[in-house]
Amino acid sequence: HNINTSIYYATIQEAIDAPETTNGHTILVDNGTYYEHITIYKTLKLFGADQTTTIIDGNGTGQVVSLTANDTEIAGFTVQNGEFAIDLTSVQNVTVAKNKLFNCSYAGIKIHECSFCRITNNTAISNTEAGVYLFESNKNIISNNTISSNSHGFWVLTYSSNNIISNNFVMNNPQGIVLSFNCNSNTIVGNTVTSANWGIVTAGAHNNTIFHNNLLQNTQQVNSYEASNFWDDGAEGNFWKDYSGHDNNNDGIGETPYTINGENPDNHPLMGMFNDFTVTWEEESHYVYVISNSTVSDFNFEVTYVTEITKAIVFNVTGEDGAVGFCRVMLPTALVNYSYTVLVDGKDVDTTVLDISNSTHAYLYFTYTTSTKQILIVPEYASSLMLPLLFISTIFTVAFSKKKGDKFRLSHLLLRSNLYIED
């Protein structure tokens, strides 16, 4: 039904086609299975009531949902059984979010000749060729998606440049992230790629910046052919599960490069997995990340009011009993603008403020003996009264989001990749 006109319709396409439905309207689709092929040719928002129970089924043929108008949005559906689940062609500023894209003979999402589109928080599973198929498209953001059991996780083809592929979980695809010929100047950051024959493929693709990715249990981490790319940002690179180098100066970065081939070294390989988080404080978003050889969980940003405001970062680390764990933490000084004390299970530990720190971001490094420990990072001046209070009771907890890829995170990446997107 059209929530602007309160008119109900028998099919989704009928609701779109109705003369009463005009640009700017929102259509809400109730639970059920709809055997339709949908074309959204008006500037609309199409929302499903529940992703798991609001299903658009293409009955095995064609593009199940086609978006042909700019500034449209589709969210909250399972779209299945077509050639492509969702097809974007020659559009700008389209949002595809929180959908499941399943069992299509080619791809979950096709993006052709598009720009400034956002593909976020979707799940693409068991599509024959690709989870996301992108070609001749520029300046799009593809973030926070789960891509599993397709032939290619991300298949980027033919003159697709200045896109950001960030913070996706890419698992069990024979080829994880593929950048093909003339796909240049893209940013591939913060993704976890695992259980692939080839984790990342670069074939004739140049000047792409690839960093802060976790490359885990892949048969071959990278296949690079006639390609020259940047595998770090000048200070930090990627976590390679098979990296055998050492960290002699104790900063969380390997001393020797991870060499893909002669033209493609990661000069600053990470010694632990990359984890990032977004914190909201005073209506502004701030980006925090942790590089650690422990498993990081239960991240939170807490604020207490005793005699004055005290802010703290809290998270847990888990590792093998008795092993030495480390954390390399990046904190924006706008969020916790003080000198820092780090406590592990309530005990102060020696902390190094790394030379990479500057007026806007502090980089901390510390170690501990693992099992499961709580990490607390607080201003150095915090009193002995404040610290127990932070452990025992949080008077006020500021809302935070562990979603990887909100506006702050994206703007951070846009600045680093010289890619600009309008609000």
Side-chain angles (χ1 to χ4, degrees), residues 17-34:
D17 293 341
E20 299 88 0
T21 299
T22 60
N23 290 337
H25 282 188
T26 298
I27 295 171
L28 179 63
V29 181
D30 294 335
N31 292 331
T33 300
Y34 299 81

Side-chain angles (χ1 to χ4, degrees), residues 261-273:
N261 56 40
E263 295 183 350
N264 292 277
D266 180 347
N267 293 305
H268 305 282
L270 309 182
M271 298 301 295
M273 286 187 63

Side-chain angles (χ1 to χ4, degrees), residues 293-368:
N293 61 346
S294 304
T295 299
V296 176
S297 62
D298 300 321
F299 180 93
N300 209 343
F301 173 61
E302 298 183 351
V303 178
T304 62
Y305 296 85
V306 184
T307 57
E308 52 188 298
I309 295 174
T310 300
K311 294 177 280 187
I313 298 291
V314 184
F315 57 89
N316 291 333
V317 291
T318 303
E320 183 179 349
D321 285 351
V324 176
F326 81 87
C327 287
R328 177 185 172 108
V329 183
M330 189 283 290
L331 296 169
T333 55
L335 183 65
V336 188
N337 190 20
Y338 309 101
S339 299
Y340 307 97
T341 296
V342 176
L343 296 99
V344 176
D345 277 357
K347 296 180 180 179
D348 194 352
V349 297
D350 291 336
T351 302
T352 301
V353 179
L354 300 174
D355 291 342
I356 192 176
S357 301
N358 54 41
S359 61
T360 60
H361 295 89
Y363 292 77
L364 312 182
Y365 179 88
F366 54 90
T367 63
Y368 45 85

Side-chain angles (χ1 to χ4, degrees), residues 140-142 162-166 187 189 410 413-414 417 419:
N140 301 284
I141 293 172
I142 306 171
N162 294 300
N163 300 286
I164 292 177
I165 298 176
S166 68
T187 301
V189 60
L410 294 175
L413 295 175
L414 297 176
S417 61
L419 191 165

Side-chain angles (χ1 to χ4, degrees), residues 78-130:
T78 291
V79 186
Q80 64 186 31
N81 297 333
E83 183 179 3
F84 298 98
I86 298 179
D87 182 343
L88 283 64
T89 299
S90 301
V91 292
Q92 294 186 355
N93 198 35
V94 167
T95 298
V96 179
K98 299 180 181 178
N99 302 286
K100 180 181 178 181
L101 315 160
F102 175 67
N103 196 38
C104 288
S105 62
Y106 205 93
I109 301 176
K110 182 181 83 173
I111 306 165
H112 179 212
E113 294 183 341
C114 297
S115 58
F116 302 109
C117 295
R118 296 171 175 84
I119 313 300
T120 64
N121 296 293
N122 301 284
T123 301
I125 300 177
S126 298
N127 301 288
T128 302
E129 290 297 329

Side-chain angles (χ1 to χ4, degrees), residues 31-89:
N31 292 331
T33 300
Y34 299 81
Y35 293 94
E36 299 187 52
H37 291 82
I38 308 301
T39 299
I40 305 175
Y41 58 91
K42 301 175 183 178
T43 301
L44 304 173
K45 294 181 179 180
L46 185 68
F47 293 156
D50 186 296
Q51 182 200 98
T52 60
T53 54
T54 311
I55 301 167
I56 307 175
D57 193 304
N59 205 26
T61 64
Q63 287 88 343
V64 184
V65 177
S66 299
L67 286 81
T68 61
N70 296 336
D71 306 300
T72 55
E73 181 175 355
I74 180 170
F77 293 91
T78 291
V79 186
Q80 64 186 31
N81 297 333
E83 183 179 3
F84 298 98
I86 298 179
D87 182 343
L88 283 64
T89 299

Side-chain angles (χ1 to χ4, degrees), residues 118-170:
R118 296 171 175 84
I119 313 300
T120 64
N121 296 293
N122 301 284
T123 301
I125 300 177
S126 298
N127 301 288
T128 302
E129 290 297 329
V132 177
Y133 176 56
L134 183 147
F135 64 109
E136 296 177 345
S137 294
N138 303 290
K139 298 184 179 181
N140 301 284
I141 293 172
I142 306 171
S143 64
N144 301 307
N145 303 285
T146 297
I147 312 294
S148 177
S149 302
N150 314 276
S151 293
H152 305 76
F154 292 97
W155 199 0
V156 183
L157 285 171
T158 315
Y159 298 103
S160 292
S161 298
N162 294 300
N163 300 286
I164 292 177
I165 298 176
S166 68
N167 300 94
N168 301 284
F169 184 72
V170 186

